[in-house]
Short mmCIF file of all heavy atoms in Angstrom, two decimals:
data_model
loop_
_atom_site.label_atom_id
_atom_site.label_comp_id
_atom_site.label_asym_id
_atom_site.label_seq_id
_atom_site.Cartn_x
_atom_site.Cartn_y
_atom_site.Cartn_z
N ILE D 1 98.40 103.04 72.14
CA ILE D 1 98.99 103.55 73.38
C ILE D 1 99.58 102.40 74.18
O ILE D 1 100.71 102.48 74.67
CB ILE D 1 97.93 104.31 74.20
CG1 ILE D 1 97.62 105.66 73.56
CG2 ILE D 1 98.42 104.51 75.64
CD1 ILE D 1 96.46 106.38 74.20
N GLU D 2 98.82 101.35 74.32
CA GLU D 2 99.28 100.20 75.09
C GLU D 2 100.55 99.60 74.48
O GLU D 2 101.49 99.24 75.20
CB GLU D 2 98.18 99.14 75.16
CG GLU D 2 98.56 97.93 75.98
CD GLU D 2 97.47 96.88 76.03
OE1 GLU D 2 96.29 97.24 75.87
OE2 GLU D 2 97.80 95.70 76.20
N LYS D 3 100.58 99.49 73.16
CA LYS D 3 101.75 98.91 72.49
C LYS D 3 102.99 99.77 72.69
O LYS D 3 104.09 99.25 72.90
CB LYS D 3 101.47 98.74 70.99
CG LYS D 3 100.41 97.69 70.67
CD LYS D 3 100.83 96.32 71.18
CE LYS D 3 99.79 95.26 70.84
NZ LYS D 3 100.15 93.93 71.42
N VAL D 4 102.84 101.09 72.62
CA VAL D 4 103.97 101.99 72.83
C VAL D 4 104.47 101.90 74.27
O VAL D 4 105.68 101.82 74.53
CB VAL D 4 103.61 103.45 72.47
CG1 VAL D 4 104.71 104.41 72.92
CG2 VAL D 4 103.40 103.59 70.97
N LEU D 5 103.55 101.89 75.22
CA LEU D 5 103.94 101.76 76.64
C LEU D 5 104.65 100.43 76.88
O LEU D 5 105.63 100.36 77.63
CB LEU D 5 102.70 101.86 77.53
CG LEU D 5 102.06 103.25 77.65
CD1 LEU D 5 100.72 103.14 78.36
CD2 LEU D 5 102.98 104.22 78.37
N GLU D 6 104.15 99.39 76.22
CA GLU D 6 104.76 98.07 76.37
C GLU D 6 106.18 98.06 75.81
O GLU D 6 107.11 97.55 76.44
CB GLU D 6 103.90 97.03 75.66
CG GLU D 6 104.26 95.60 75.97
CD GLU D 6 103.25 94.62 75.37
OE1 GLU D 6 102.66 94.93 74.32
OE2 GLU D 6 103.06 93.55 75.96
N ARG D 7 106.36 98.62 74.61
CA ARG D 7 107.69 98.67 73.98
C ARG D 7 108.66 99.49 74.82
O ARG D 7 109.85 99.16 74.90
CB ARG D 7 107.60 99.28 72.58
CG ARG D 7 107.02 98.39 71.52
CD ARG D 7 107.42 98.84 70.13
NE ARG D 7 107.08 100.21 69.84
CZ ARG D 7 105.93 100.60 69.28
NH1 ARG D 7 105.02 99.69 68.95
NH2 ARG D 7 105.70 101.87 69.03
N ALA D 8 108.15 100.54 75.44
CA ALA D 8 109.00 101.43 76.23
C ALA D 8 109.26 100.90 77.63
O ALA D 8 110.00 101.50 78.41
CB ALA D 8 108.37 102.82 76.31
N GLY D 9 108.64 99.76 77.96
CA GLY D 9 108.82 99.19 79.29
C GLY D 9 108.15 100.00 80.37
O GLY D 9 108.52 99.94 81.55
N LYS D 10 107.09 100.76 80.01
CA LYS D 10 106.42 101.62 80.97
C LYS D 10 105.00 101.17 81.31
O LYS D 10 104.32 101.80 82.10
CB LYS D 10 106.35 103.06 80.41
CG LYS D 10 107.70 103.74 80.28
CD LYS D 10 107.56 105.11 79.64
CE LYS D 10 108.88 105.86 79.59
NZ LYS D 10 109.29 106.38 80.90
N LEU D 11 104.56 100.09 80.69
CA LEU D 11 103.19 99.64 80.91
C LEU D 11 103.03 99.08 82.31
O LEU D 11 103.71 98.13 82.70
CB LEU D 11 102.80 98.58 79.88
CG LEU D 11 101.34 98.13 79.89
CD1 LEU D 11 100.42 99.29 79.55
CD2 LEU D 11 101.13 96.97 78.92
N LYS D 12 102.13 99.68 83.09
CA LYS D 12 101.86 99.21 84.44
C LYS D 12 101.13 97.87 84.37
O LYS D 12 100.25 97.66 83.55
CB LYS D 12 101.02 100.23 85.20
CG LYS D 12 101.65 101.62 85.31
CD LYS D 12 102.88 101.62 86.20
CE LYS D 12 103.33 103.02 86.55
NZ LYS D 12 103.94 103.78 85.47
N GLY D 13 101.50 96.95 85.24
CA GLY D 13 100.96 95.61 85.18
C GLY D 13 99.68 95.39 85.96
O GLY D 13 99.12 94.29 85.93
N ILE D 14 99.19 96.41 86.67
CA ILE D 14 98.00 96.24 87.50
C ILE D 14 96.82 97.01 86.89
O ILE D 14 96.94 98.20 86.59
CB ILE D 14 98.23 96.75 88.94
CG1 ILE D 14 99.45 96.07 89.55
CG2 ILE D 14 96.99 96.51 89.78
CD1 ILE D 14 99.31 94.59 89.79
N LEU D 15 95.70 96.32 86.72
CA LEU D 15 94.47 96.95 86.26
C LEU D 15 93.46 96.92 87.41
O LEU D 15 93.40 95.95 88.17
CB LEU D 15 93.88 96.20 85.06
CG LEU D 15 94.73 96.13 83.79
CD1 LEU D 15 94.07 95.19 82.78
CD2 LEU D 15 94.93 97.50 83.18
N TYR D 16 92.66 97.98 87.50
CA TYR D 16 91.61 98.04 88.51
C TYR D 16 90.27 98.26 87.81
O TYR D 16 90.12 99.21 87.04
CB TYR D 16 91.86 99.17 89.50
CG TYR D 16 93.11 98.98 90.32
CD1 TYR D 16 94.33 99.48 89.88
CD2 TYR D 16 93.08 98.29 91.53
CE1 TYR D 16 95.49 99.30 90.62
CE2 TYR D 16 94.23 98.12 92.28
CZ TYR D 16 95.43 98.63 91.82
OH TYR D 16 96.58 98.45 92.56
N ALA D 17 89.33 97.38 88.07
CA ALA D 17 88.01 97.52 87.45
C ALA D 17 86.98 96.72 88.26
O ALA D 17 87.26 95.60 88.70
CB ALA D 17 88.04 97.00 86.01
N ALA D 18 85.81 97.33 88.46
CA ALA D 18 84.68 96.66 89.12
C ALA D 18 85.07 96.02 90.44
O ALA D 18 84.62 94.92 90.78
CB ALA D 18 84.07 95.62 88.17
N GLY D 19 85.93 96.70 91.21
CA GLY D 19 86.34 96.18 92.51
C GLY D 19 87.39 95.09 92.46
O GLY D 19 87.71 94.48 93.48
N LEU D 20 87.95 94.86 91.28
CA LEU D 20 88.95 93.81 91.09
C LEU D 20 90.35 94.39 90.95
O LEU D 20 90.53 95.51 90.42
CB LEU D 20 88.63 92.97 89.85
CG LEU D 20 87.27 92.28 89.79
CD1 LEU D 20 87.06 91.68 88.42
CD2 LEU D 20 87.16 91.21 90.87
N GLU D 21 91.34 93.64 91.37
CA GLU D 21 92.74 93.97 91.12
C GLU D 21 93.28 92.88 90.19
O GLU D 21 93.38 91.71 90.58
CB GLU D 21 93.55 93.99 92.42
CG GLU D 21 95.03 94.32 92.21
CD GLU D 21 95.82 94.25 93.50
OE1 GLU D 21 95.46 94.97 94.45
OE2 GLU D 21 96.78 93.46 93.55
N ILE D 22 93.61 93.28 88.97
CA ILE D 22 94.03 92.32 87.95
C ILE D 22 95.50 92.54 87.64
O ILE D 22 95.90 93.59 87.15
CB ILE D 22 93.20 92.50 86.66
CG1 ILE D 22 91.70 92.44 86.98
CG2 ILE D 22 93.56 91.44 85.63
CD1 ILE D 22 90.82 92.97 85.86
N ASP D 23 96.32 91.55 87.94
CA ASP D 23 97.76 91.64 87.71
C ASP D 23 98.06 90.92 86.39
O ASP D 23 98.01 89.69 86.32
CB ASP D 23 98.53 90.98 88.86
CG ASP D 23 100.03 91.25 88.79
OD1 ASP D 23 100.57 91.26 87.67
OD2 ASP D 23 100.65 91.42 89.85
N THR D 24 98.37 91.69 85.36
CA THR D 24 98.60 91.09 84.05
C THR D 24 99.95 90.40 83.94
O THR D 24 100.16 89.60 83.02
CB THR D 24 98.48 92.15 82.93
OG1 THR D 24 99.45 93.18 83.15
CG2 THR D 24 97.09 92.77 82.92
N ASN D 25 100.87 90.71 84.82
CA ASN D 25 102.17 90.04 84.82
C ASN D 25 102.08 88.69 85.52
O ASN D 25 102.55 87.68 85.01
CB ASN D 25 103.22 90.92 85.50
CG ASN D 25 103.49 92.20 84.73
OD1 ASN D 25 103.47 92.21 83.50
ND2 ASN D 25 103.74 93.28 85.44
N GLU D 26 101.46 88.67 86.69
CA GLU D 26 101.30 87.43 87.45
C GLU D 26 100.08 86.63 87.00
O GLU D 26 99.92 85.47 87.39
CB GLU D 26 101.17 87.75 88.95
CG GLU D 26 102.38 88.45 89.56
CD GLU D 26 103.61 87.55 89.57
OE1 GLU D 26 103.45 86.31 89.67
OE2 GLU D 26 104.73 88.08 89.47
N ARG D 27 99.22 87.25 86.20
CA ARG D 27 97.98 86.63 85.71
C ARG D 27 97.10 86.17 86.88
O ARG D 27 96.66 85.02 86.95
CB ARG D 27 98.27 85.48 84.74
CG ARG D 27 98.93 85.94 83.45
CD ARG D 27 99.15 84.77 82.48
NE ARG D 27 97.90 84.19 82.03
CZ ARG D 27 97.16 84.66 81.02
NH1 ARG D 27 97.55 85.76 80.37
NH2 ARG D 27 96.03 84.05 80.67
N THR D 28 96.88 87.10 87.79
CA THR D 28 96.03 86.82 88.94
C THR D 28 94.92 87.86 89.05
O THR D 28 95.04 88.98 88.57
CB THR D 28 96.84 86.83 90.26
OG1 THR D 28 97.47 88.12 90.41
CG2 THR D 28 97.90 85.75 90.25
N VAL D 29 93.83 87.45 89.70
CA VAL D 29 92.70 88.34 89.95
C VAL D 29 92.37 88.28 91.44
O VAL D 29 92.25 87.20 92.02
CB VAL D 29 91.46 87.92 89.14
CG1 VAL D 29 90.30 88.88 89.40
CG2 VAL D 29 91.78 87.86 87.65
N LYS D 30 92.23 89.45 92.06
CA LYS D 30 91.90 89.51 93.48
C LYS D 30 90.74 90.46 93.71
O LYS D 30 90.60 91.48 93.03
CB LYS D 30 93.10 89.99 94.30
CG LYS D 30 94.28 89.03 94.33
CD LYS D 30 95.42 89.60 95.16
CE LYS D 30 96.62 88.67 95.19
NZ LYS D 30 97.73 89.24 95.97
N ARG D 31 89.91 90.10 94.69
CA ARG D 31 88.87 91.00 95.19
C ARG D 31 89.04 91.09 96.70
O ARG D 31 88.99 90.07 97.39
CB ARG D 31 87.48 90.50 94.84
CG ARG D 31 86.37 91.47 95.27
CD ARG D 31 84.99 90.84 95.16
NE ARG D 31 84.64 90.52 93.80
CZ ARG D 31 84.15 91.40 92.92
NH1 ARG D 31 83.99 92.66 93.27
NH2 ARG D 31 83.83 91.01 91.70
N ASN D 32 89.28 92.31 97.18
CA ASN D 32 89.52 92.52 98.62
C ASN D 32 90.64 91.62 99.13
O ASN D 32 90.57 91.07 100.24
CB ASN D 32 88.24 92.27 99.42
CG ASN D 32 87.12 93.21 99.03
OD1 ASN D 32 87.36 94.38 98.74
ND2 ASN D 32 85.89 92.71 99.02
N GLY D 33 91.67 91.43 98.31
CA GLY D 33 92.83 90.64 98.71
C GLY D 33 92.68 89.15 98.53
O GLY D 33 93.65 88.39 98.69
N GLU D 34 91.47 88.70 98.18
CA GLU D 34 91.23 87.26 98.01
C GLU D 34 91.46 86.85 96.56
O GLU D 34 90.91 87.45 95.62
CB GLU D 34 89.80 86.92 98.41
CG GLU D 34 89.47 85.43 98.27
CD GLU D 34 88.04 85.11 98.62
OE1 GLU D 34 87.34 86.01 99.16
OE2 GLU D 34 87.60 83.97 98.36
N LEU D 35 92.28 85.82 96.37
CA LEU D 35 92.62 85.35 95.04
C LEU D 35 91.47 84.54 94.45
O LEU D 35 90.90 83.68 95.09
CB LEU D 35 93.89 84.48 95.10
CG LEU D 35 94.52 84.05 93.77
CD1 LEU D 35 95.06 85.25 93.02
CD2 LEU D 35 95.65 83.04 94.04
N ILE D 36 91.13 84.85 93.19
CA ILE D 36 90.06 84.14 92.48
C ILE D 36 90.66 83.51 91.22
O ILE D 36 91.31 84.20 90.43
CB ILE D 36 88.91 85.09 92.09
CG1 ILE D 36 88.37 85.80 93.34
CG2 ILE D 36 87.80 84.33 91.38
CD1 ILE D 36 87.42 86.93 93.03
N THR D 37 90.45 82.22 91.04
CA THR D 37 91.07 81.50 89.94
C THR D 37 90.20 81.55 88.68
O THR D 37 89.01 81.26 88.71
CB THR D 37 91.29 80.02 90.32
OG1 THR D 37 92.12 79.97 91.49
CG2 THR D 37 91.98 79.27 89.19
N LEU D 38 90.85 81.91 87.57
CA LEU D 38 90.20 81.90 86.27
C LEU D 38 91.00 81.03 85.31
O LEU D 38 92.22 80.89 85.45
CB LEU D 38 90.12 83.32 85.67
CG LEU D 38 89.27 84.37 86.39
CD1 LEU D 38 89.32 85.67 85.61
CD2 LEU D 38 87.83 83.90 86.55
N LYS D 39 90.31 80.47 84.34
CA LYS D 39 91.00 79.74 83.27
C LYS D 39 91.70 80.75 82.36
O LYS D 39 91.33 81.93 82.33
CB LYS D 39 90.00 78.90 82.48
CG LYS D 39 89.39 77.76 83.29
CD LYS D 39 88.39 76.97 82.44
CE LYS D 39 87.79 75.83 83.24
NZ LYS D 39 86.80 75.06 82.46
N PRO D 40 92.73 80.32 81.61
CA PRO D 40 93.52 81.25 80.79
C PRO D 40 92.68 82.14 79.87
O PRO D 40 92.89 83.37 79.82
CB PRO D 40 94.43 80.32 79.98
CG PRO D 40 94.63 79.15 80.88
CD PRO D 40 93.31 78.95 81.57
#
């Protein structure tokens, strides 16, 4: 499903889990608007 959405240009870049906002395009993680740095 993810691969088809990606090929079609429809894959949403934001994931929400455990109170986190994960931006897969910008490669950032936020909790309550605060940026948290992770290694690649």
Side-chain angles (χ1 to χ4, degrees):
I1 287 172
E2 182 181 333
K3 292 300 181 184
V4 170
L5 289 170
E6 192 173 30
R7 285 201 304 269
K10 293 176 176 286
L11 187 63
K12 302 292 192 288
I14 305 293
L15 299 172
Y16 295 90
L20 302 172
E21 180 184 303
I22 307 165
D23 190 322
T24 60
N25 295 324
E26 299 294 330
R27 294 183 64 84
T28 59
V29 181
K30 293 180 181 178
R31 183 191 296 279
N32 299 323
E34 180 182 350
L35 189 65
I36 304 170
T37 302
L38 295 181
K39 294 179 179 179

